Amino acid sequence: MPECLVFRVPTRHPADVSGVMDLIAAGAVAADEIVAIFGKTEGNGCVNDFTRQLAVMALETALAGAMACTPEAVGGRVALVMSGGTEGGLSPHLLVLARRDGPAVPGATALAIGTAFTADFRPEEIGRMAQVRATAAAVAEAMARAGLDDPEAVHFVQVKCPLLTSARIQEAAARGRDVATHDTYASMGLTRGASALGIALALGEVADEDLADAAIGARRDLYSGRASASAGIELMRNEVIVLGNAPGWTGPHAIAHRVMRDGIDFFAVQGVLADLGFPGSGQLTPEESERVVALLAKAEPSHDGLIRGRRHIMNDDSDINATRHARALVGGVAAAAIGRTDLFVSGGAEHQGPDGGGPVAIIARVRD
């Protein structure tokens, strides 16, 4: 039976891969078993956040030696999702997810993982329906690889997606093609939004007839409660990781999710913990906190500038980007519930939960 292994390791800087290599050296996981690595790096999370690319290059180089292949080949086998921005008290870290054969347990249901990659997008396809449909197909492929036949058993879908740069915009123009936007920062929202709508389409959360280029980034009533998309300059395709609980899988881990209605929805986090068998109120004890392997959440300031009727200035601050404010806010709320700060909180939640809110999922050890 397949088993999904999950490890959390701290990092000292974006190129620090020592924690991953220590896991391999200790025999906790084999390099060939690793299927995905999530990372929080301490950059700005914006277009020019090269900490993400640095982390990917460091991981590909290190894993290439362990896998006896080229760094480029590592990128074709392992989904590397680096999310920039550890504002507030968030701690830089890596989540290593692996798949191996585990002991057979009749009737078992446990954490399952599946990955898939789209083909590279052309710049004119980013933030448009071509990206939506390609993402939906990749989600379906990843679900099949995880044995997740029922969309309701899917609790979190992480996508790493490309953004537009000036060079990519000019390359499209040279071929006589126009792009979704000439604002490179705005392209981050459009690519995340298109990816999230592709997830929503695959999971049956939106109807195909409601989707169009004009809806991306505009129809806030269309969203997925299980989508997380992170944009970066380091790729031109979408990398998709599907997480859920599937029959036929073994191991001690399970995943659950809820949707935060806004950035201070502390009770949504507590609800996920209760779904996993933790106490439904109060901060976790240190022992309980260590059973939480990962918290994955999206953060987005509301467009009306309000949180429960009171004004916030996240969208009006010209010094600090709004998504950076949102990561710090949601990270603090989640840390208060979990009792730990190494949490995967990603900014920019276009079509990922309701306006101002977003999905939150927790992977925890629920059995010995």
Side-chain angles (χ1 to χ4, degrees), residues 45-46 52 126-127 131 159 161-163 185-199 216 227-232 298 300 321 323 327 346-352:
C46 298
R52 297 171 302 213
I126 294 174
Q131 189 176 16
V159 170
C161 49
L163 53 80
Y185 182 76
S187 78
M188 297 184 74
L190 291 175
T191 187
R192 289 191 298 254
S195 300
L197 288 174
I199 295 168
I216 300 171
S228 174
S230 179
K298 288 300 297 186
E300 175 80 3
N321 186 270
T323 57
R327 274 192 296 268
S346 173
E350 300 84 358
H351 303 293
Q352 301 153 72

Side-chain angles (χ1 to χ4, degrees), residues 24-41:
I24 296 171
V29 65
D32 289 338
E33 294 173 333
I34 298 173
V35 295
I37 299 178
F38 292 14
K40 285 302 300 181
T41 63

Side-chain angles (χ1 to χ4, degrees), residues 238-249:
N238 274 15
E239 302 190 354
V240 177
I241 304 102
V242 172
L243 295 165
N245 300 312
W249 284 69

Side-chain angles (χ1 to χ4, degrees), residues 256-259 267-278 360-362:
H257 85 282
R258 295 210 181 183
V259 178
F267 295 107
V269 182
Q270 290 190 318
V272 182
L273 290 170
D275 293 341
L276 290 167
F278 291 88
V360 57
I362 292 174

